[in-house]
Each structure stands twice: as C-alpha cells, then as structure tokens.
C-alpha cells in the first residue's frame, strides 16, 4: 500500500484510508504508527493495495486522453 505525505498532487491520487495512507511530511511518529498498523493488519494493507491498483488501472494514457477529449469536445 501507499504511505505518503499529502503534498503536491499526492492527495489527488491517494485517498487516505481508501487507496493509501497520508501522513504529514514532518511526522516521523505518524509514519511509524501507520506502518506498524499495516504490519499488524495485513488484511487492511491488502485492501488498500487492491484499491490503489484498481484506481491506477483507470489512469492509463488512453483513459486520460478519452476524458480530455470529452471535456474539450
């Protein structure tokens, strides 16, 4: 699963608690806590990873191009 800081465009592709986990960039304790929670709950880690992969598969070049064509058509 994704464990990242909510900076730049990351929150646009990582939904906290659904497709990954977001922790403030300067919160080392928060990162450690989230990692420990993932190791303690492999089913949750698997669910996050599965959701992230499903979302990533919708963000192919062809899909994005099709969406742009719809917007600008």
């Amino acid at each position: 699963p994704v464990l990242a800081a909510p900076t730049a465009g990351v929150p646009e592709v990582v939904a906290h608690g659904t497709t990954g986990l977001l922790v403030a960039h300067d919160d080392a304790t928060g990162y450690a806590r989230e990692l420990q929670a993932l190791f303690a709950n492999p089913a949750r880690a698997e669910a996050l990873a599965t959701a992230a992969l499903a979302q990533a598969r919708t963000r192919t070049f062809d899909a994005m191009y099709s969406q742009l064509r719809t917007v600008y058509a």
Side-chain angles (χ1 to χ4, degrees):
V2 175
L3 180 57
T7 58
V10 173
E12 294 177 23
V13 295
V14 178
H16 181 73
T18 303
T19 60
L21 300 171
L22 299 174
V23 179
H25 74 280
D26 59 351
D27 185 3
T29 302
Y31 274 96
R33 182 181 57 250
E34 294 294 0
L35 279 173
Q36 288 174 338
L38 289 173
F39 283 120
N41 189 345
R44 180 172 185 229
E46 182 67 26
L48 290 169
T50 299
L53 181 58
Q55 179 184 349
R57 288 186 171 141
T58 69
R59 294 182 177 256
T60 65
F61 175 81
D62 291 336
M64 300 304 284
Y65 178 71
S66 176
Q67 290 173 8
L68 282 173
R69 283 186 51 187
T70 300
V71 169
Y72 292 105

